[in-house]
Amino acid sequence: MIVIDYNPLVIATYFKIDEGWRNINSVKREFFRRVEDIESKFDTIYGKVIIVGDCGLSWRKEIYPAYKANRAKDSKDWKEIGIILKTLKDPIKQKLPFFEYETLEADDIIGWF
């Protein structure tokens, strides 16, 4: 199986699209195109694609409240990216296996596989 971390692929897809053309539909189309490209290159070796996502609140925050608190600030529109990340989940879940579990990040789930 090919396990893909949802958030970084959506974010990379978002920034690949020219700013004037960025919207939920263009990101959705490009996301599926990229997944199809990955699958067509590697499915004969590794199998089908599975998408894994972050559920939101990480268990790490319970243990260490400052987890990811010291990340450098930048000028990117993370609010818009957050909306796109939330909005795309349902259409993606309709087409691809998508796994997310409460309090786990995608990396935790990938570790299970």
Side-chain angles (χ1 to χ4, degrees), residues 29-96:
R29 276 191 308 273
E30 181 64 15
F31 177 88
F32 282 117
R33 190 201 63 72
R34 292 176 115 187
V35 168
E36 288 171 7
D37 186 47
I38 291 166
E39 194 169 51
S40 70
K41 287 179 183 176
F42 300 107
D43 70 336
T44 56
I45 300 167
Y46 300 108
K48 296 295 181 186
V49 165
I50 295 171
I51 308 295
V52 294
D54 298 339
C55 196
L57 293 175
S58 171
W59 61 270
R60 290 170 181 85
K61 283 256 189 201
E62 293 277 323
I63 295 169
Y64 181 61
Y67 177 64
K68 293 187 179 181
N70 295 322
R71 289 193 164 177
K73 303 293 182 207
D74 59 35
S75 61
K76 294 177 178 67
D77 188 354
W78 290 106
K79 184 177 179 182
E80 180 181 12
I81 294 166
I83 292 167
I84 288 173
L85 284 164
K86 288 177 186 170
T87 305
L88 283 182
K89 276 189 180 181
D90 284 337
I92 291 168
K93 287 177 180 179
Q94 292 173 8
K95 291 188 148 201
L96 297 166

Side-chain angles (χ1 to χ4, degrees), residues 5-48:
D5 189 333
Y6 173 71
N7 282 21
L9 185 58
V10 171
I11 293 167
T13 300
Y14 174 88
F15 287 113
K16 182 179 188 261
I17 298 168
D18 290 333
E19 194 170 334
W21 294 95
R22 268 186 219 144
N23 60 50
I24 191 70
N25 291 323
S26 64
V27 174
K28 180 178 160 185
R29 276 191 308 273
E30 181 64 15
F31 177 88
F32 282 117
R33 190 201 63 72
R34 292 176 115 187
V35 168
E36 288 171 7
D37 186 47
I38 291 166
E39 194 169 51
S40 70
K41 287 179 183 176
F42 300 107
D43 70 336
T44 56
I45 300 167
Y46 300 108
K48 296 295 181 186

